[in-house]
Structure formats: C-alpha cells, structure tokens
C-alpha cells in the first residue's frame, strides 16, 4: 500500500531534550516536506526537499533541522525543543504520475513541556 | 507570494448542499487543490483544478475561475461524516500554501 509513515504518532518531551520524528514514503517520490499545524494558523511549511541531499527552508524553519540521505526518508530533528514547538506535525511527499498531489502522513502530535 | 481566504466555519444539515468558497492571490498559478481534514487526522486529497470550470467527482465538485482568483467546493447530499475542515491550497514547485481551512459541521 502506498503511504507516508511518521513515527512516533504522539510524543511528550521536555524543553531542551533532542528528538527526531521520522518520515518514510514507499512511493519513490522525489519531493518531501514537513508542515506544522496550529489552531488559527493552518498548515505551515517547515522544510522541504526536492530530492536526495537537496533541502531548503519553508516558512517556519527556526528551531528545526532536516536531512535527506535517502530518497524514502526525511527525518525532522528538533535539537533543543521549546514549548512553542508544541504542535501537530505532518510529513508529505509528491512525485510520480500524480506529481502535483501531496500525500500526507498520519501526523505526529508533539507536546514540549 | 500567495494569499488565500476562505470562511472559518460553516454549518449545514444532513442531506443538504453546501458551497465552500476560496479566493486566492498568487504570483504564478499552478492550479488549486482542495483537501479534507478530519480533526487530528491527515489532510486527504479531494480535487485539483488547473483549468476553468467545474469538475465533478461523486458527491463532491470543485469549480475554478482563474480570472477571478476564485474557487469553490460543492458538497451534495451531505452526510454526518462530511463534518471536517476543508482546506484550499495553491502550489508552487517548492511548496503547497494552505488557507486556514473551513470547518464544516453537518447537523442531523
């Protein structure tokens, strides 16, 4: 089944403790992206990757890092999480025949205390 | 850049028809998407309009007018499960810019 898989789905952590949210897609898509979703602000892009080893900032990149060493994986790294990074995070990918349609993972709900 | 506007909330009755509007301003047009998102879940693709006109897909239809910077999503024969947020979005090669979403509540 074609899908975008995020882990973990839920995470509670404390300020300053480094964490990684993984994202993997099995559709051989070139493009992958991370979004955060906050009430009243909608979905905002954090980082994106056009292909392996090619990443760039989105609209709200501060406090986040990403890497794209393999085509299928695009982890989101919070080196020193802060409470304002408490949010719902989504990974997405696009490519192939339906190249303009982004497909989203199930989401990761992060709480930083 | 992109600017997208859609109503924050709408309410309709089961079995009715509802139209959710979206207006956009964009520096380069590459089509317009509609996504559905149930609370706490992932956005799921509904439609993608590139050319003017109405595209129908079952109970859902989407309309686009490029000259007016306007789109709407039409939902017919509303069901309780249609209660969700509906997101209008415009793409560039680098990203998908979303509106804030329209929260639709379907009442029995």
């Amino acid at each position: 089944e074609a899908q975008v898989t995020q882990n973990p789905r839920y995470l509670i952590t404390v300020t300053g403790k480094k964490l990684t949210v993984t994202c993997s897609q099995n559709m051989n898509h070139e493009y992958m992206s991370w979004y955060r979703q906050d009430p009243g602000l909608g979905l905002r892009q954090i980082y994106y990757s056009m292909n392996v080893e090619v990443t760039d900032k989105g609209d709200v990149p501060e406090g986040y890092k990403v890497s794209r060493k393999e085509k299928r994986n695009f982890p989101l790294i919070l080196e020193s999480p802060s409470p304002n990074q408490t949010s719902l995070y989504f990974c997405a990918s696009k490519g192939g025949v339906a190249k303009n349609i982004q497909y989203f993972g199930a989401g990761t709900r992060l709480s930083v205390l | 850049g992109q600017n997208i506007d859609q109503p924050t909330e709408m309410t309709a009755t089961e079995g009715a028809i509802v139209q959710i509007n979206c207006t956009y301003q964009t520096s380069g047009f590459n089509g317009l998407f509609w996504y559905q998102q149930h609370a706490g879940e992932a956005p799921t693709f509904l439609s993608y309009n590139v050319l003017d006109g109405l595209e129908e897909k079952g109970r859902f239809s989407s309309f686009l007018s490029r000259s007016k910077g306007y789109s709407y999503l039409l939902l017919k024969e509303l069901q309780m499960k249609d209660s969700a947020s509906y997101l209008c979005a415009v793409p560039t090669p680098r990203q998908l810019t979303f509106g804030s979403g329209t929260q639709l509540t379907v009442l029995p």
Side-chain angles (χ1 to χ4, degrees):
Chain A
E1 180 188 354
Q3 58 186 2
V4 179
T5 303
Q6 293 179 228
N7 281 296
R9 293 290 316 280
Y10 303 91
L11 180 60
I12 301 174
T13 189
V14 295
T15 299
K17 186 176 181 181
K18 180 180 178 180
L19 67 91
T20 299
V21 184
T22 64
C23 175
S24 178
Q25 50 93 6
N26 63 0
M27 296 171 279
N28 201 36
H29 285 170
E30 291 80 18
Y31 176 97
M32 297 184 74
S33 182
W34 276 103
Y35 296 86
R36 62 177 288 173
Q37 188 173 34
D38 304 288
L41 297 176
L43 279 155
R44 296 178 293 167
Q45 189 184 53
I46 303 170
Y47 269 93
Y48 66 95
S49 170
M50 301 292 278
N51 214 322
V52 176
E53 301 291 1
V54 180
T55 63
D56 208 346
K57 297 177 181 178
D59 296 323
V60 288
E62 294 78 20
Y64 304 95
K65 287 175 58 177
V66 293
S67 69
R68 188 90 183 273
K69 295 185 173 62
E70 307 164 282
K71 199 171 190 178
R72 63 182 293 127
N73 295 322
F74 189 45
L76 180 69
I77 304 156
L78 285 71
E79 294 269 0
S80 183
S82 62
N84 65 12
Q85 292 178 298
T86 292
S87 187
L88 180 58
Y89 291 87
F90 290 102
C91 179
S93 72
K94 69 173 182 175
V97 175
K99 59 182 179 179
N100 286 322
I101 301 172
Q102 290 201 24
Y103 296 93
F104 286 80
T108 296
R109 188 169 291 281
L110 173 65
S111 294
V112 183
L113 305 178
Chain B
Q2 283 81 27
N3 188 38
I4 302 169
D5 287 309
Q6 49 181 134
T8 304
E9 296 177 325
M10 298 185 72
T11 302
T13 305
E14 194 175 14
I17 299 173
V18 70
Q19 177 175 312
I20 302 174
N21 296 324
C22 171
T23 58
Y24 64 89
Q25 294 173 313
T26 180
S27 53
F29 186 74
N30 296 290
L32 186 139
F33 287 90
W34 284 96
Y35 279 80
Q36 180 192 59
Q37 186 180 24
H38 287 97
E41 297 183 9
T44 56
F45 169 76
L46 288 178
S47 67
Y48 177 47
N49 293 65
V50 179
L51 301 177
D52 290 350
L54 184 69
E55 293 200 9
E56 299 184 64
K57 195 185 295 184
R59 293 189 300 114
F60 292 10
S61 303
S62 56
F63 172 84
L64 176 67
S65 169
R66 288 174 295 173
S67 62
K68 295 181 179 178
Y70 168 68
S71 174
Y72 67 73
L73 182 69
L74 192 70
L75 291 74
K76 303 176 185 176
E77 301 170 17
L78 279 172
Q79 302 176 8
M80 299 299 290
K81 67 178 182 180
D82 297 330
S83 290
S85 183
Y86 291 86
L87 310 174
C88 174
V90 291
T92 69
R94 301 175 185 276
Q95 66 173 268
L96 197 55
T97 300
F98 287 87
S100 295
T102 298
Q103 182 63 47
L104 174 66
T105 301
V106 180
L107 302 174

